Amino acid sequence: MIRILILLLLPVVAQAETIRIATFNTELSRDGPGLLLRDIHRGDDQVMAVVAVLADTRPDIIALQGIDWDFEGLALAALANRLRETGLDYPYTFAAQPNSGLETDLDLDGDGRTSGPGDAQGWGRFTGQGGLAVMSRYPIASDQIQDLSDLLWQELPGAELPQHDAGPYPSEQAQNVQRLSSVAHWIVPIEAPAGQLDLMTFHASPPVFDGPEDRNGLRNKDEIRLWSAVMDGEVGRKPDRLFVIAGDANLDPMRGDGRKEAIREFLNDPRLQDPSPADPSGDLTTVVWKMVGPMRVDYVLPSAQWQVVDSGVHWPVAGSEERETAESASRHRLIWVDLTLPR
């Protein structure tokens, strides 16, 4: 009788299990290849602060930005080892070469020179600077990952590329090779307790540091719109299961520069939910830049079928040790959302 009761309760137990999905721009990127690995090994203060933030929040799945990529994945493996020391184990990870620092032989930023960090497919002093990574408690279906990072900007349906009086900016040749993703756009299938879900992650270009042609503003807008094209079935595989979009859009719906209508329309898409995570004071801020002020640019957006249990911005109360650690880790704040099976 007891065995039968346990079997009857199993679906209820499984349905009650929550999954915490988070995004965190760690700002761990360094000025040269191999330096991040060095700093992880020697327990650099910022590295250990990032580790502490992750240990405090304990996401089941985390999308990381601002972490340098290396060919053998040594930095990501070293970070996973640091986290394991705190009791937080991510046996499954994914990182691929991003567009940041990926060299071209053209002038892509219109400064009249080549071979600079702005002439890479995405801004970077070296290949892989400021890349992405995914860490998960649950298996990653590596053979099903979609990497959309090689999509040319002009191939996005409805793309709006920069122009100047002479025509395409900075040149037609540049636009013929310019990829859309400044860092990367990945769709990462994960075998979670709720079933397989797609983690859709990215880090969009800042919509500033350009001229009247608004190259970066237009690119930022279209990097966000890429996910709408995916949901529409125009790019990649149209989602046919639960998904979560998590990353740094570098765009606030109300404040700062950029095509703010792009993020407003995105947040209002009926196929998505915006849990509007907030810190303990109710503030939605996810980053504070000295010259700009507080902004909301980091997002975790579940598909409409999920049931949102809770959400938050990790920004402990002022004066606490946890707050000092969070401030030491990054200008960005970790954003998390707790989800259960569909209603």
Side-chain angles (χ1 to χ4, degrees):
M1 184 66 181
I2 294 176
R3 182 180 179 185
I4 294 174
L5 182 60
I6 291 173
L7 290 173
L8 289 173
L9 287 174
L10 278 176
V12 177
V13 172
Q15 188 166 351
E17 184 170 354
T18 63
I19 303 170
R20 174 164 291 185
I21 299 180
T23 188
F24 188 24
N25 185 339
T26 63
E27 296 191 308
L28 284 175
S29 182
R30 298 302 191 249
D31 289 335
L35 298 183
L36 176 58
L37 178 62
R38 177 204 66 186
D39 287 351
I40 295 172
H41 281 317
R42 70 183 186 183
D44 172 89
D45 288 345
Q46 188 209 356
V47 169
M48 298 313 295
V50 167
V51 167
V53 167
L54 289 167
D56 284 345
T57 53
R58 307 189 70 80
D60 296 305
I61 301 168
I62 178 76
L64 300 175
Q65 303 89 46
I67 179 168
D68 296 338
W69 172 87
D70 61 83
F71 182 75
E72 295 181 313
L74 298 177
L76 183 58
L79 182 62
N81 287 335
R82 282 291 184 188
L83 289 166
R84 197 171 295 115
E85 293 170 0
T86 71
L88 188 57
D89 190 14
Y90 291 116
Y92 308 100
T93 62
F94 173 75
Q97 182 175 356
N99 287 336
S100 49
L102 185 60
E103 292 184 0
T104 72
D105 58 1
L106 295 174
D107 173 17
L108 294 190
D109 59 3
D111 66 356
R113 300 186 296 270
T114 59
S115 302
D119 301 314
Q121 287 288 359
W123 195 95
R125 299 183 184 91
F126 59 90
T127 299
Q129 184 176 24
L132 305 181
V134 174
M135 309 179 81
S136 174
R137 290 181 51 218
Y138 313 121
I140 293 173
S142 301
D143 59 333
Q144 299 177 40
I145 291 172
Q146 294 185 74
D147 187 348
L148 305 176
S149 308
D150 61 355
L151 179 76
L152 295 182
W153 187 353
Q154 63 185 6
E155 292 176 339
L156 177 73
E160 184 178 358
L161 279 76
Q163 302 288 319
H164 60 170
D165 292 342
Y169 181 89
S171 67
E172 183 176 358
Q173 293 83 358
Q175 290 193 2
N176 285 339
V177 303
Q178 177 68 74
R179 297 181 178 186
L180 173 59
S181 301
S182 54
V183 181
H185 282 76
W186 300 335
I187 303 176
V188 182
I190 297 174
E191 303 288 351
Q196 192 174 76
L197 66 90
D198 284 330
L199 180 71
M200 299 157 68
T201 188
F202 74 125
H203 185 180
S205 174
V208 290
F209 311 121
D210 54 15
E213 81 290 338
D214 197 23
R215 173 179 179 259
N216 294 336
L218 292 170
R219 189 178 188 184
N220 173 275
K221 179 194 73 171
D222 279 349
E223 287 188 86
I224 294 168
R225 282 202 320 108
L226 174 55
W227 292 129
S228 298
V230 169
M231 291 187 288
D232 291 340
E234 297 176 318
V235 175
R237 176 181 56 80
K238 185 175 182 178
D240 57 1
R241 54 193 173 216
L242 296 165
F243 64 89
V244 178
I245 299 174
D248 184 347
N250 251 319
L251 194 60
D252 185 292
M254 301 301 295
R255 296 168 289 190
D257 293 326
R259 306 293 181 106
K260 291 183 280 293
E261 69 280 3
I263 194 67
R264 290 184 199 135
E265 292 172 6
F266 191 54
L267 295 177
N268 288 323
D269 191 310
R271 295 168 293 188
L272 300 174
Q273 300 180 70
D274 178 14
S276 297
D279 69 17
S281 73
D283 190 351
L284 275 62
T285 296
T286 70
V287 66
V288 176
W289 287 306
K290 286 183 179 180
M291 302 301 293
V292 182
M295 299 183 73
R296 183 189 183 202
V297 301
D298 307 276
Y299 301 92
V300 178
L301 305 173
S303 56
Q305 299 84 0
W306 286 102
Q307 180 175 348
V308 176
V309 177
D310 200 1
S311 65
V313 173
H314 181 72
W315 197 241
V317 296
S320 66
E321 182 178 347
E322 292 81 6
R323 172 66 165 269
E324 292 180 4
T325 299
E327 290 174 343
S328 300
S330 174
R331 293 172 296 178
H332 289 257
R333 302 164 188 184
L334 182 145
I335 316 303
W336 56 269
V337 174
D338 287 347
L339 303 170
T340 65
L341 285 170
R343 291 182 286 270

